Amino acid sequence: MEELMENKVTEVKKTVQKRMEPELKLINMDKVEVEQIEWLLYPFIPYGKVTIIQGDPGEGKTTMVLQIIAKLTRGEAILPTVLLTDDKENAEVPVNVIYQTAEDGLGDTIKPRLLAAGADCSKVLVIDDADQPLTMADIRLEEAIIQTKARMVVLDPIQGFLGAEVDMHRANEIRPLMKRIAVLAEKYHCAIILIGHMNKNSNGKSSYRGLGSIDFQAAARSVLIVGRIKEEPETRVVCHTKSSLAPEGKSIAFQLDKDNGFEWIGEYDISADELLNGDGKGQKSRKAKEFLLEILADGGMSQKKILEEAAKRGIKGKTLRNAKSELEVDSVKRGNQWYWVLPE
């Protein structure tokens, strides 16, 4: 009798275990349809995916994102026409945006910034989490996307929406959160932007300066870094450090000052690591000036030869010409060629 009971218990355990085990399902890639990526801002922010925007505090991350939000609510191109890299970009009508902040006040900070950017505030929605803080795992996030049909969702900063029990340095706790966010973005074809602060490892590479687990960046399809130019504190630059869906975009600068507010400037020759280490433009400019002083020390040289030698040393044409202008190097035509000559 006792043996019979043990056998029944064993059978029950096997049955329960079998029910708990997932059923094998295979996907044949031959049956998978190819889908085209749509872009909110090519190649920086894709629809249906997660984008991370990182930077040190006070570098203009939130201001830039609010400018993007303002353009979306008015159905306008985010960048000036001369900076657009995709002819199909921004051909949209005004859309709704969900913006969640865990740091700034809505009435005294966020709305004044939105109004200054010219946003249609009726299209900017915020989930009221006064009674219970919102987290990345919160069902209200999906409900809000469904209700508002938002094309972009912003969580600012990432750290404020993890939940009190989540350790941002543990991959096993971050992966499911990032997976859920990625699923929401794909399911509702909206762009989800996570804004994050960076750690204080000033000598580290950009990929390792994001706070917390590297799984944040691993799950994102695009990662951008915003920082200011040391020699030009009013100039901020956006650098692409990860792009899984398109070639990395060239760095783009914007100006941020009290008198003129926010203004896109254009492409900027600097890498993310140079930007974060504060040795970007100044270092390149000094290198170009030293090169010109060295190569022209014994007299003039043809422009063609100078450009060829500069390219060998990794000095770009634009940087070289800026250095030429600052040193007041003269251009003199001799026969059919132009020569550069140091001023007397």
Side-chain angles (χ1 to χ4, degrees):
M1 184 66 177
E2 185 175 339
E3 183 178 351
L4 180 61
M5 289 296 293
E6 288 181 357
N7 289 338
K8 287 185 176 181
V9 170
T10 301
E11 290 178 5
V12 170
K13 287 183 178 179
K14 288 182 178 180
T15 301
V16 172
Q17 184 177 6
K18 187 175 181 180
R19 289 175 180 173
M20 292 177 64
E21 291 177 350
E23 179 184 353
L24 174 63
K25 295 181 179 180
L26 296 175
I27 298 175
N28 189 321
M29 287 301 298
D30 186 53
K31 305 297 183 183
V32 176
E33 294 185 7
V34 175
E35 299 178 6
Q36 295 296 320
I37 299 296
E38 292 187 51
W39 296 90
L40 184 152
L41 179 61
Y42 180 87
F44 303 106
I45 306 175
Y47 278 120
K49 307 295 178 181
V50 176
T51 296
I52 290 178
I53 299 177
Q54 301 181 115
D56 291 326
E59 297 293 72
K61 303 182 299 298
T62 296
T63 300
M64 182 188 75
V65 170
L66 292 177
Q67 288 285 328
I68 293 174
I69 289 174
K71 295 292 188 181
L72 289 175
T73 63
R74 298 199 308 267
E76 298 177 359
I78 293 171
L79 295 176
T81 304
V82 294
L83 295 179
L84 294 179
T85 56
D86 185 352
D87 292 338
K88 300 178 182 178
E89 187 177 334
N90 301 120
E92 297 190 40
V93 296
V95 298
N96 288 339
V97 175
I98 295 175
Y99 178 77
Q100 295 295 134
T101 177
E103 293 184 338
D104 297 312
L106 298 181
D108 60 13
T109 304
I110 300 303
K111 185 165 184 179
R113 287 187 180 182
L114 286 170
L115 291 174
D120 179 351
C121 290
S122 69
K123 295 188 175 299
V124 183
L125 295 310
V126 181
I127 299 171
D128 186 349
D129 62 352
D131 296 330
Q132 181 177 339
L134 185 75
T135 70
M136 291 166 66
D138 202 311
I139 186 63
R140 288 176 294 175
L141 197 55
E142 182 171 9
E143 292 174 345
I145 295 173
I146 294 172
Q147 184 173 323
T148 64
K149 296 181 174 60
R151 296 306 313 276
M152 186 168 83
V153 178
V154 180
L155 300 182
D156 182 8
I158 304 172
Q159 296 91 324
F161 299 94
L162 298 178
E165 305 302 321
V166 175
D167 185 340
M168 67 186 304
H169 296 90
R170 292 183 176 274
N172 64 318
E173 296 184 21
I174 295 305
R175 284 175 187 167
L177 287 179
M178 292 300 292
K179 175 66 176 177
R180 170 171 168 71
I181 290 294
V183 168
L184 286 181
E186 185 171 0
K187 184 177 180 180
Y188 298 104
H189 200 60
C190 62
I192 294 186
I193 294 180
L194 306 179
I195 299 178
H197 298 318
M198 307 197 77
N199 62 42
K200 297 181 180 180
N201 180 17
S202 60
N203 294 319
K205 289 189 174 182
S206 58
S207 57
Y208 292 97
R209 284 207 54 202
L211 286 181
S213 170
I214 195 68
D215 287 84
F216 281 113
Q217 294 192 49
R221 298 299 85 197
S222 179
V223 178
L224 307 172
I225 286 179
V226 178
R228 75 177 71 200
I229 300 299
K230 187 175 181 180
E231 294 82 4
E232 305 172 35
E234 294 177 349
T235 300
R236 319 297 171 88
V237 181
V238 186
C239 292
H240 217 172
T241 62
K242 176 182 178 180
S243 182
S244 300
L245 305 172
E248 286 187 3
K250 294 181 179 180
S251 298
I252 298 179
F254 61 88
Q255 192 140 11
L256 192 60
D257 61 55
K258 294 181 180 179
D259 296 329
N260 301 314
F262 183 100
E263 181 183 6
W264 291 106
I265 300 174
E267 293 182 2
Y268 205 99
D269 183 19
I270 192 172
S271 71
D273 291 334
E274 290 169 339
L275 179 66
L276 294 176
N277 292 332
D279 60 0
K281 184 180 178 183
Q283 185 183 55
K284 291 182 179 182
S285 178
R286 285 193 297 273
K287 182 179 178 181
K289 289 178 183 178
E290 290 170 359
F291 164 75
L292 284 177
L293 291 173
E294 173 193 334
I295 205 168
L296 297 176
D298 297 328
M301 183 176 290
S302 71
Q303 176 178 290
K304 180 180 179 182
K305 189 172 182 179
I306 292 173
L307 292 174
E308 288 175 351
E309 185 61 31
K312 292 178 183 178
R313 301 194 189 188
I315 301 173
K316 295 189 176 182
K318 183 178 180 181
T319 304
L320 186 66
R321 287 185 169 83
N322 287 339
K324 174 180 179 288
S325 175
E326 292 179 21
L327 291 174
E328 298 182 346
V329 173
D330 294 322
S331 293
V332 180
K333 193 168 186 180
R334 296 175 181 172
N336 295 324
Q337 293 192 63
W338 283 98
Y339 282 72
W340 290 8
V341 182
L342 287 175
E344 296 182 358

